[in-house]
Amino acid sequence: MMSRNRDYGRREVLRAGGIVLGGSVLSGSAAAADGDGSTTLTLLSYNDVQTAAAEDKKFPRLVTLIEQRRAAADGPVVVVGGGDQIGPHALSPVSQWRAPVDVLNEVGPDADVIGNHEFDYGLDAVSDVTEDSDFPWLATNLVDSDTGEAFDGTESTRVVEQDGVSVGIIGLVDEGATFGKTNIEFNERGLTLEDYTETGPAEAKRLKEDEGVDVVVALAHTGVPDAEALAEADADDDIDVVVVGDDELEYPPAEVSGSIVSEAQARANFLSEITLTVADGAVTSWEGELIPVTDDIEKDPTASDIINDYRAEVSLDSPVVETETALDATFSSNYHRETNYGNLITDAMRERADADVAITNAGGIRSDSVYGPGEITGGDVFNTLPFPNTLVTLELTGDELVETLESQIVTLESGGGQEFGEEVTQQVSGVRFEWVPHDDADELVRDVRVGGEPLDGDATYEVAVNSFMAGGGSGYPLGDKPVLAETGELLATTVVDYLEGKGTIAPRVEGRMQRVDRDLPDASVTVDGNGKVVCQFDAPDDVESVAEDTVDVWALDGEHLGAEKVVFDADERTLVVRVDDGDLAETVGDADDGDEIPLDLYAEYESSEFDHVYFERSRLNADVEAVVEQRGRGRNALAAR
């Protein structure tokens, strides 16, 4: 199973303070409310350990940091998790959930929440996870449809009593972390997902009124925006703290509508620490911060031993290939654009399946890291492809292939686009296309070519995907498509086998998925007599300036040529692009006299209309056709038109 967890950058805002007056947290210092009879409660939290569970790096250091902060606390300490701890990670094939659970048992948290990746091994396996855990897993609003109680292996709430302070803990998920990120049909399996904005506040009120708890902590595997919505829905301010997981943001503790909201990014990079002053059954003040897990923190030896013992079983530290270029496995790149690592993965899939096209979802590429240049180990590959997915080949018509590609386009104007920017959320091989990320676009995906040839909507194509996608995961419309073949081997194994036969690799971006915001009209093309081709375009109304170093002419095989000269005239509303015809001929490669070569010109520009969230600029496109002309001594040249 694969999620849409992303970390698009650091949130550089320091937040601290808060005094409760009339039930609402207001800004102030913790010391201001201290008085006789008060207790300082320390809440430590982490979330989305995921791939860090398979590495003897950050996770053992996080364990040490938790123990250090426990020892330094002036009063009781409660430790909680925000979900997505047991997957995905590179040790899944040999340990499934056991490696991270074994380490977390050393931590001894007071509770964790069931997140979408706790379902990575299936719904039935959740009871095995909870049985192996020395701490409770909460699912307050995902309940048995018949009884309304927590489903097998989970608990609805947990009350922790320490030094006279009573802390009630609830665990919440939203639709995105259940139906949206798993292939489990929860309703058919007898589970009901209740509205977290209703169940959460109601359960918090019950804990305070019926069980007399002093503090309520909501573990919300919902992402920050939904956690903020939870705080806003809690009209009586019964939820004191919301510990967030899922979207993996660096979100230091902040007051939101009477609750303290915090998320510690992911992969054991941070520990959230919130100190609450509790007096007369209420939180009277607070302070909080995110503490980075740095290399100067010693590793917990027991945690390191657990991880390394599992790693030894599968030789994850053995090198499989040498890369001359850095392999980009970061979330932001793979969700937004073509990457060289995405190309490598899908090339391996297509070769193994002997398929026409291969597609993998961006959420299936994990670790949020860059690998190389240098040696790449089997562990690196499993760390980036940690799910127990296999390779499946489907039969799709050309029209179905376009529908499949379009299902992953997030437009700029959509809610997701306004939050994260427009996205393509997939990586491909064997197919090339342009994507237009705007609600008013006639086509979200266009100019599709398979194997270099224009797509035939009625023809059938063999398309290799992972088993999660084949089942309809990540919103792919593939659940009912004919299955031609299944390898039965892990996708990570497929990629490792592919790399072992290479020796040295240098994958690159080839223009397989080209973003386009605006089209340029037909060009006026001239040849200046000095071996230069000059194209003049009328510029769209929203063009304010053109970034000259971004103007390139692309051939269908991924070769491209930068423009020699670019002139944008804002008064005349014209764009002039000049290229060398000899260099252009080398770009398109071997061709015969008279051949017509389709080319694409792309240019980034400042737009008066589009306000981008992720991309720096908008992007123009023009279709250019070049005709091969034979010149002396067999030399080819091109005249564009």
Side-chain angles (χ1 to χ4, degrees):
M1 287 134 199
M2 302 175 183
S3 79
R4 191 176 158 78
N5 299 341
R6 293 161 295 178
D7 175 8
Y8 293 151
R10 298 187 59 187
R11 190 163 176 143
E12 301 288 357
V13 182
L14 296 179
R15 303 173 173 91
I19 299 176
V20 174
L21 294 175
S24 298
V25 180
L26 305 176
S27 61
S29 68
D34 287 347
D36 293 340
S38 66
T39 301
T40 300
L41 171 71
T42 299
L43 179 70
L44 303 176
S45 66
Y46 49 86
N47 57 276
D48 299 270
V49 169
Q50 296 192 25
T51 55
E55 297 181 306
D56 184 22
K57 297 178 181 178
K58 293 279 190 177
F59 199 16
R61 300 185 197 279
L62 175 64
V63 175
T64 297
L65 180 59
I66 291 171
E67 290 309 307
Q68 290 175 345
R69 300 314 301 162
R70 268 184 171 139
D74 181 19
V77 178
V78 171
V79 180
V80 293
D84 275 7
Q85 320 298 3
I86 67 170
H89 58 85
L91 291 172
S92 294
V94 293
S95 85
Q96 296 181 299
W97 60 85
R98 294 177 183 86
V101 165
D102 287 352
V103 174
L104 289 175
N105 283 340
E106 294 298 314
V107 172
D110 293 283
D112 212 315
V113 59
I114 295 288
N116 51 288
H117 285 303
E118 273 66 57
F119 297 111
D120 278 0
Y121 312 102
L123 179 59
D124 293 336
V126 171
S127 58
D128 295 323
V129 173
T130 59
E131 183 177 354
D132 286 345
S133 302
D134 296 338
F135 54 91
W137 290 89
L138 306 183
T140 308
N141 68 318
L142 185 62
V143 300
D144 185 293
S145 301
D146 294 329
T147 66
E149 302 296 329
F151 68 94
D152 288 349
T154 66
E155 297 181 16
S156 179
T157 64
R158 173 56 65 107
V159 176
V160 178
E161 302 275 357
Q162 287 197 26
D163 296 346
V165 175
S166 178
V167 180
I169 309 172
I170 60 178
L172 304 170
V173 290
D174 62 2
E175 187 169 359
T178 49
F179 292 91
K181 296 178 181 175
T182 76
N183 280 342
I184 298 172
E185 296 293 338
F186 290 95
N187 295 335
E188 294 180 6
R189 297 296 302 274
L191 298 184
T192 296
L193 178 65
E194 299 173 344
D195 188 333
Y196 69 97
T197 63
E198 296 178 2
T199 299
E203 194 62 22
K205 180 172 291 295
R206 186 193 68 80
L207 285 168
K208 285 198 170 179
E209 293 183 354
D210 296 349
E211 300 199 30
V213 303
D214 303 305
V215 179
V216 171
V217 177
L219 312 180
H221 196 76
T222 62
V224 168
D226 286 345
E228 293 174 339
L230 171 65
E232 292 167 2
D234 181 28
D236 295 328
D237 296 330
D238 290 310
I239 299 174
D240 297 291
V241 181
V242 183
V243 170
V244 188
D246 190 46
D247 56 358
E248 305 180 18
L249 294 180
E250 181 186 337
Y251 191 100
E255 184 273 324
V256 178
S257 299
S259 300
I260 305 160
V261 178
S262 179
E263 185 173 19
Q265 202 189 59
R267 293 170 296 282
N269 286 327
F270 290 91
L271 176 69
S272 173
E273 180 176 278
I274 300 171
T275 56
L276 305 165
T277 301
V278 182
D280 298 324
V283 176
T284 59
S285 62
W286 69 276
E287 290 183 347
E289 64 176 333
L290 295 184
I291 305 173
V293 179
T294 58
D295 289 345
D296 59 354
I297 299 173
E298 292 186 4
K299 299 176 184 176
D300 179 85
T302 302
S304 291
D305 288 345
I306 291 170
I307 293 170
N308 287 323
D309 286 348
Y310 279 113
R311 289 181 68 87
E313 293 185 31
V314 285
S315 301
L316 290 182
D317 298 316
S318 300
V320 295
V321 78
E322 182 95 8
T323 179
E324 297 176 350
T325 57
L327 305 180
D328 187 356
T330 60
F331 287 137
S332 58
S333 295
N334 282 281
Y335 270 94
H336 287 92
R337 63 177 82 228
E338 172 193 352
T339 67
N340 65 345
Y341 193 49
N343 289 349
L344 184 154
I345 292 168
T346 51
D347 286 350
M349 294 168 63
R350 186 163 64 95
E351 179 179 288
R352 176 68 176 84
D354 192 23
D356 301 306
V357 174
I359 308 171
T360 194
N361 59 325
I365 302 174
R366 311 304 295 186
S367 89
D368 197 28
S369 300
V370 176
Y371 296 84
E375 286 187 347
I376 301 299
T377 68
D380 293 333
V381 176
F382 274 85
N383 209 37
T384 59
L385 300 172
F387 296 97
N389 292 315
T390 57
L391 190 62
V392 179
T393 305
L394 306 176
E395 182 179 77
L396 303 182
T397 67
D399 290 340
E400 290 171 337
L401 177 57
V402 172
E403 179 188 9
T404 298
L405 297 172
E406 285 186 335
S407 72
Q408 302 304 298
I409 305 302
V410 178
T411 63
L412 176 61
E413 296 77 16
S414 68
Q418 287 298 294
E419 184 177 359
F420 298 113
E422 62 265 57
E423 299 176 328
V424 68
T425 74
Q426 60 198 329
Q427 299 294 318
V428 301
S429 175
V431 62
R432 295 178 183 275
F433 61 90
E434 293 176 343
W435 57 288
V436 186
H438 298 290
D439 285 347
D440 61 355
D442 293 333
E443 300 172 293
L444 295 179
V445 167
R446 67 185 196 183
D447 294 345
V448 183
R449 289 177 173 266
V450 175
E453 298 297 324
L455 182 81
D456 183 341
D458 296 323
T460 58
Y461 298 91
E462 295 184 3
V463 181
V465 298
N466 63 59
S467 52
F468 176 70
M469 297 164 57
S474 287
Y476 281 96
L478 300 175
D480 60 347
K481 299 302 184 283
V483 175
L484 300 177
E486 298 181 67
T487 65
E489 69 183 17
L490 292 173
L491 183 58
T493 300
T494 298
V495 175
V496 167
D497 290 346
Y498 174 81
L499 293 176
E500 285 181 331
K502 297 293 182 182
T504 302
I505 58 171
R508 60 191 179 95
V509 172
E510 300 176 351
R512 299 180 185 185
M513 303 184 296
Q514 299 275 18
R515 174 177 61 99
V516 175
D517 293 290
R518 283 275 185 267
D519 288 314
L520 288 165
D522 292 341
S524 169
V525 180
T526 60
V527 179
D528 68 1
N530 296 311
K532 309 297 182 184
V533 178
V534 181
C535 302
Q536 179 168 310
F537 304 91
D538 292 331
D541 292 340
D542 68 317
V543 177
E544 296 183 326
S545 63
V546 176
E548 297 180 15
D549 60 347
T550 69
V551 181
D552 296 297
V553 177
W554 287 75
L556 296 180
D557 63 356
E559 296 294 335
H560 59 282
L561 170 70
E564 277 191 340
K565 188 173 182 62
V566 177
V567 177
F568 170 66
D569 190 319
D571 295 328
E572 297 295 327
R573 308 302 302 163
T574 58
L575 174 65
V576 177
V577 177
R578 188 182 78 191
V579 297
D580 182 273
D581 67 344
D583 291 342
L584 199 58
E586 293 180 6
T587 300
V588 302
D590 295 333
D592 296 326
D593 190 26
D595 282 354
E596 298 179 352
I597 310 295
L599 301 168
D600 280 292
L601 182 145
Y602 298 101
E604 294 185 12
Y605 72 102
E606 296 293 340
S607 170
S608 61
E609 179 176 350
F610 301 127
D611 186 11
H612 294 281
V613 177
Y614 172 82
F615 291 102
E616 183 177 355
R617 291 179 287 261
S618 299
R619 204 158 186 248
L620 294 166
N621 165 247
D623 294 331
V624 180
E625 188 176 79
V627 180
V628 177
E629 295 179 352
Q630 195 72 25
R631 294 191 179 173
R633 298 182 181 178
R635 177 175 175 266
N636 284 345
L638 291 179
R641 68 183 184 193

